[in-house]
Amino acid sequence: MHDFGAALAGRLRAGDLVVLTGPLGAGKTTFTRGLGVGLRVRGSVTSPTFVLARTHPSTVGGPPLVHVDAYRLASAVELDDLDIDFPNSIVVVEWGRGMLDGITDSWLDIEIERPLGASQAAPSGLDDDGLDLDEPRTVTITPHGPRWAGAAGFEPAAAGEAGDARLSE
């Protein structure tokens, strides 16, 4: 997930919104950490669960990365109340599906699925160093809106349909 985030960083620009959906432990924050590395932002990218949103300025003059945890938010209004500079930032919202009404007309919806249960390699799901083992993930990217219409490397779903899109390099 880290490497995927770093690879996607080169495709994003100010004003882009990425919505991450997946169960606990799916890799949403790991993806965002990789995105931060790819964007070359300052500060350690960690889950903003208790602060709701954390801004990481660019170290190379690019747009800042705003990392939002919308788990405790109830609506798009509460997301909008965070006063995020959407037009000038790259914004990642964990748990944000269904909260974009009136926020933007374009976004990437990334759904991450992970296998249920611990890895077969170690019953605890941890390696000998106590780190999470790499487990396969299934990632579905659904681009929405004019920003992503016809974007090279994406195969978007037909208008009004849910579907997969694949990122190619």
Side-chain angles (χ1 to χ4, degrees), residues 3 10-11 16-17 20 28 41 53 59 64 67 72-73 83-84 97 100-101 106 109 111-112 120 126 149:
D3 293 345
R11 305 283 301 271
D16 284 344
L17 173 64
L20 300 177
K28 296 179 296 293
V41 300
T59 62
H67 185 194
R72 295 185 291 138
L73 301 180
D83 201 27
I84 296 168
R97 185 175 281 163
L100 302 178
D101 294 338
S106 294
D109 186 89
E111 183 163 359
I112 307 165
Q120 298 299 319
L126 302 176

Side-chain angles (χ1 to χ4, degrees), residues 77-154:
V77 171
E78 288 184 7
L79 179 60
D80 192 45
D81 284 347
L82 295 177
D83 201 27
I84 296 168
D85 185 5
F86 284 97
N88 297 307
S89 304
I90 294 172
V91 180
V92 174
V93 181
E94 295 186 29
W95 306 100
R97 185 175 281 163
M99 292 195 183
L100 302 178
D101 294 338
I103 299 288
T104 184
D105 60 355
S106 294
W107 69 94
L108 287 179
D109 186 89
I110 299 178
E111 183 163 359
I112 307 165
E113 297 175 60
R114 65 181 281 258
L116 297 176
S119 170
Q120 298 299 319
S124 68
L126 302 176
D127 67 12
D128 293 336
D129 295 324
L131 301 174
D132 290 335
L133 293 171
D134 286 338
E135 293 180 327
R137 303 305 201 254
T138 301
V139 176
T140 304
I141 305 169
T142 306
H144 296 271
R147 159 68 171 105
W148 300 106
F154 287 106

Side-chain angles (χ1 to χ4, degrees), residues 18-65:
V18 177
V19 177
L20 300 177
T21 302
L24 290 172
K28 296 179 296 293
T29 299
T30 301
F31 165 86
T32 308
R33 190 173 296 120
L35 187 64
V37 167
L39 294 172
R40 298 176 62 189
V41 300
R42 187 177 60 209
S44 177
V45 176
T46 60
S47 179
T49 300
F50 298 105
V51 295
L52 300 180
R54 189 173 276 127
T55 300
H56 300 275
S58 174
T59 62
V60 293
L65 171 64

